Amino acid sequence: MNHTLLIQQVESLLTTETDTIANLANISAAINMEMDRINWVGFYFYKNDELVLGPFQGKVACTRLKNKGVCITAIETSETQNVPDVHVYQGHIACDSASNSELVIPLFVEGKPFGVLDIDSPDFNRFSAKDQETFEVIGKIIEAHLSII
């Protein structure tokens, strides 16, 4: 994966369109096309103390996440969760039993939870420090765009 190119693609997608759903759908597709060894990528929106499924690429997913799991932890701690083996993660929610590692970037707008960018892989230890750094940058780009809508 070309990290710089993916960041540029995301920035480009956000320059002309203001619709949040359309933008997140295209970002999901861009990540899915550019990144190898993943089986799910998408967004969950934070609503009423739970996460609700948003635009994604991959198999059918959990519709609502509440009280536990990698995505909830990312929102609650305001920190990226890079989990090399989801099977040893306390409280992991297995939406797809084929997923073995997960990267979750929390998204905030004006200090309030907006949701998460969630990426799953069938490989253990799939997400490198460089991957995490790249998706944290992409998260900041998304947050900045959302704050101007």
Side-chain angles (χ1 to χ4, degrees):
M1 175 178 82
N2 184 323
H3 296 267
T4 303
L5 179 61
L6 183 57
I7 290 169
Q8 291 170 344
Q9 285 178 320
V10 169
E11 288 175 328
S12 177
L13 288 168
L14 297 175
T15 59
T16 58
E17 181 56 57
T18 59
D19 186 84
T20 299
I21 300 296
N23 284 331
L24 298 182
N26 270 334
I27 290 169
S28 297
I31 294 168
N32 193 52
M33 286 175 21
E34 292 300 320
M35 198 165 196
D36 63 351
R37 301 175 6 248
I38 64 170
N39 59 338
W40 198 92
V41 57
F43 295 89
Y44 280 91
F45 300 117
Y46 189 76
K47 297 178 181 182
N48 301 319
D49 297 324
E50 64 183 350
L51 290 166
V52 180
L53 183 64
F56 71 93
Q57 299 276 311
K59 292 181 180 180
V60 172
C62 296
T63 304
R64 294 179 184 271
L65 305 172
K66 189 172 183 170
N67 298 327
K68 65 178 185 171
V70 180
C71 292
I72 290 291
T73 300
I75 282 289
E76 288 179 347
T77 63
S78 303
E79 294 179 359
T80 296
Q81 301 296 303
N82 188 344
V83 182
D85 181 352
V86 296
H87 305 290
V88 297
Y89 188 93
Q90 179 124 10
H92 175 255
I93 300 169
C95 296
D96 180 355
S97 62
S99 294
N100 290 313
S101 62
E102 186 170 9
L103 180 65
V104 179
I105 309 299
L107 303 171
F108 291 83
V109 175
E110 297 174 1
K112 296 177 183 160
F114 173 82
V116 299
L117 167 58
D118 182 16
I119 310 169
D120 294 353
S121 173
D123 294 354
F124 291 98
N125 300 301
R126 165 61 184 91
F127 303 104
S128 68
K130 180 66 174 172
D131 292 331
Q132 179 174 331
E133 178 184 311
T134 296
F135 286 103
E136 287 173 341
V137 168
I138 287 171
K140 294 297 179 199
I141 293 166
I142 293 168
E143 288 173 339
H145 182 75
L146 293 171
S147 66
I148 62 172
I149 294 175

